[in-house]
Amino acid sequence: MENVKHEKWSSGFIFLLAAVGSAVGLGNIWRFPYVVAENGGGAFVLLYLGIVILLGIPLLMTELSIGRMTGKAPINAFDQMVKENDVKAKPLWTALGWSYMLVPLGILCFYFVVAGWTLNYVTGMVMGDFNGITAEGAQESFGAMLGNWKTLIFWMTITLLITIGIVSQGIKEGLEKAVKILMPALFVIMVALVIYSSVTGEFLESVKFMFTPDFSKITGKTIMMAAGQAFFSLSLGSAAMMMYGAYLTKDISIPKMACGVALADTSVAILAGFMIFPIVFAHGMANASGPGLVFEVLPVIFTDMPMGQLFGVLFFLLLAFAAVTSTISLLEPMVALLEEKGYKRLPSAFIVGGGVWLIGVICALSLNVLQDVRLLGGVEALKDKNIMDIVEYFAANVFVPLNGLFVAIFIGWMVKRSTMIDEFNMGDNIVFKAWKFLVCYIVPIVMIAVFYDAAIGF
Ligand code: PFF
């Protein structure tokens, strides 16, 4: 059954919508602004941009082409490439294939919880719970939500069911239809909010904060955080891009698509900064307020603005949709793998989703009932992290970059040069040479340095 043929995207544009949908999500709007705030602002943003260009785009090209060349889910894709290119150390690459398959499920476990927060905020907005709310009130109400495990599990389950519903319908009937509606809507609302926020908030201070680098703030840990965030945001190291590449027809240019995805994703992350920081500064809110940043800040924006309640409903709804266009790409690879093994899509989507739900519940409980549990309390750098933080930390900051490092070594050093020249379909030109140099040298050297530095920090 390993020769099952998957459906293909209807066009390059639809692929772009789906891939940007995967990349743009909570990582851009929820995570990027608070990670920037926690890691010193401008210096971090600059590092982030450098990493997207020098590491992110080459890796995106790599993952998309591994998918397209084989047309299979990562574990089978690596197997096929090992055979075709006569690659040594097969068990290592099989392990890499599994790591690619499992990381998205780890991400999903905490991603669903946060996606659930957004749906909870939609209903809060509809009910007018945030009307006239102050900055302190918003912080309190966010805390109250985290304390209520029933609410968290309820909304997380709804997000999961929506995701399963879409994925179970397949590429054309499920994924394509979803992204065609959700992506344009998200874009329009986001632009409107950025304009509003920049006009009414402390725009210049935000520009200074985001673009004035203070290099003393850069440490090994900052570089690791920037790499983790960039890879996470581009959906790298986690099977989504490989799987979406597997549905891509041969006539589409992978280098162009990779640049398009990276440009759109990075623009949205920066725009999210311009949506959040002007208001944060205008209200004198604590800048490094961590994962609650978006949830504590935006209700305050909406209460001040004309038709704020309506905008609030739309915004959190669309944030939830942005999350869903990412969660479908996280669930899809394992479902596709089961399809390759001969199982039907619908039950596969429910079974994989059910497994994720169980661990997701533990993550949700770690915000309240299990909030004092410290799985790695003995490790100095992780001693304050609850279970959900640990899952997020290892999935996004450890395994995602680790997969990126190994896939670069695989494609740069193990796979024949001619195989990749054929795949990119542009000859041995300057773009190819630059890509080859980046995956062979820059990605591995930077990543090994980052991991070495992080390891001695423990
Ligand atoms: N890129 C998504 C975001 O920024 O929210 C998260 C994500 C989706 C990561 C899909 C990994 C992935 F495979």
Side-chain angles (χ1 to χ4, degrees), residues 78-315:
F78 280 108
D79 252 20
Q80 181 176 327
M81 289 193 72
V82 164
K83 273 192 211 120
E84 285 175 1
N85 291 271
D86 206 7
V87 175
K88 301 281 167 306
K90 183 166 184 282
L92 175 64
W93 309 116
T94 306
L96 180 62
W98 275 114
S99 177
Y100 260 95
M101 293 306 309
L102 295 176
V103 164
L105 300 182
I107 294 176
L108 266 180
C109 294
F110 71 85
Y111 208 88
F112 274 132
V113 178
V114 182
W117 300 354
T118 67
L119 279 184
N120 185 42
Y121 268 62
V122 173
T123 48
M125 282 284 168
V126 171
M127 310 298 275
D129 293 353
F130 301 106
N131 290 350
I133 203 159
T134 58
E136 297 77 52
Q139 278 165 2
E140 269 168 31
S141 103
F142 179 66
M145 176 190 71
L146 296 191
N148 188 339
W149 62 268
K150 285 186 199 142
T151 308
L152 295 186
I153 293 176
F154 175 75
W155 288 115
M156 172 194 125
T157 309
I158 299 286
T159 331
L160 181 64
L161 288 174
I162 297 172
T163 307
I164 292 174
I166 298 171
V167 169
S168 65
Q169 298 307 303
I171 307 307
K172 292 208 164 76
E173 285 303 306
L175 274 62
E176 287 196 359
K177 282 195 171 154
V179 298
K180 267 198 261 184
I181 301 170
L182 302 177
M183 294 310 291
L186 174 72
F187 182 74
V188 171
I189 292 287
M190 179 135 195
V191 170
L193 281 169
V194 172
I195 294 173
Y196 176 83
S197 175
S198 310
V199 172
T200 57
E202 295 292 337
F203 183 67
L204 287 179
E205 210 178 318
S206 307
V207 175
K208 256 207 306 221
F209 178 67
M210 294 232 305
F211 293 113
T212 315
D214 171 1
F215 290 106
S216 68
K217 296 245 166 78
I218 295 188
T219 61
K221 180 175 165 268
T222 331
I223 303 179
M224 183 175 167
M225 291 299 287
Q229 173 62 22
F231 286 14
F232 180 79
S233 189
L234 292 171
S235 302
L236 290 170
S238 22
M241 289 299 172
M242 270 189 210
M243 207 61 242
Y244 278 13
Y247 307 148
L248 202 51
T249 49
K250 295 279 177 207
D251 54 321
I252 310 279
S253 157
I254 283 186
K256 279 191 196 142
M257 290 293 150
C259 290
V261 172
L263 185 69
D265 184 62
T266 307
S267 310
V268 173
I270 303 278
L271 281 181
F274 283 130
M275 188 167 73
I276 311 288
F277 292 128
I279 305 290
V280 173
F281 292 131
H283 287 77
M285 289 171 143
N287 207 0
S289 71
L293 187 59
V294 161
F295 296 90
E296 292 162 359
V297 171
L298 288 178
V300 182
I301 307 180
F302 297 126
T303 199
D304 283 350
M305 66 195 271
M307 297 203 303
Q309 192 176 353
L310 175 68
F311 254 106
V313 173
L314 280 180
F315 176 79

Side-chain angles (χ1 to χ4, degrees), residues 1-3 6 66 70-83 94 97-98 101 336-341:
M1 269 301 191
E2 306 249 320
N3 283 329
H6 293 295
I66 290 178
T70 59
K72 291 182 179 144
I75 181 76
N76 289 334
F78 280 108
D79 252 20
Q80 181 176 327
M81 289 193 72
V82 164
K83 273 192 211 120
T94 306
W98 275 114
M101 293 306 309
L337 177 68
L338 290 177
E339 232 179 2
E340 286 167 25
K341 302 251 177 248

